[in-house]
Amino acid sequence: MSDSSRSDGGQAQSAPAEVEVLVVPDCPNRSGAEQLVRAAIAEAGLGRIEPRTRVVQTDEDAARLGFSGSPSFRIDGRDPFGPAGSPSMACRLYLTAAGLRGLPELSALTAALGRSRSR
């Protein structure tokens, strides 16, 4: 079995090629988002993936990237939580079991990584 695939019932599943955390400068949730994505990668059994953090500097960058708030997550260029609205340089909120929070739940991000493997 190679490092980039696993066997599950005879079907190979590939790992995401790129995982990103997108944030605005001085985002108060940056550190938590970076820790969360590393934990989700580990929980999904994808420890060989090194997530990247991208700082979105301008409204133009936000529009070009389809960035809908900080922090946002991308798995192979896709936001697993869907666009939260118009491109925005503001804080992003996620609906969790505890209500609206600045970060998604670990289980939600881990599940998104798992879904990306089955594509």
Side-chain angles (χ1 to χ4, degrees), residues 8-90:
D8 182 17
Q11 294 180 337
Q13 295 180 332
S14 62
E18 184 175 57
V19 177
E20 292 180 296
V21 177
L22 287 81
V23 295
V24 295
D26 301 319
C27 175
N29 290 310
R30 177 179 178 163
S31 177
E34 290 169 338
Q35 291 173 15
L36 180 69
V37 79
R38 284 191 299 273
I41 287 168
E43 191 161 304
L46 301 170
R48 65 195 168 280
I49 293 176
E50 187 62 38
R52 181 176 96 153
T53 298
R54 180 186 294 197
V55 179
V56 179
Q57 299 283 347
T58 66
D59 289 330
E60 291 78 20
D61 289 341
R64 181 178 49 79
L65 294 167
F67 176 73
S68 54
S70 184
S72 288
F73 301 87
R74 284 201 175 170
I75 302 170
D76 289 337
R78 298 178 137 181
D79 185 332
F81 300 102
S86 300
S88 173
M89 294 292 290

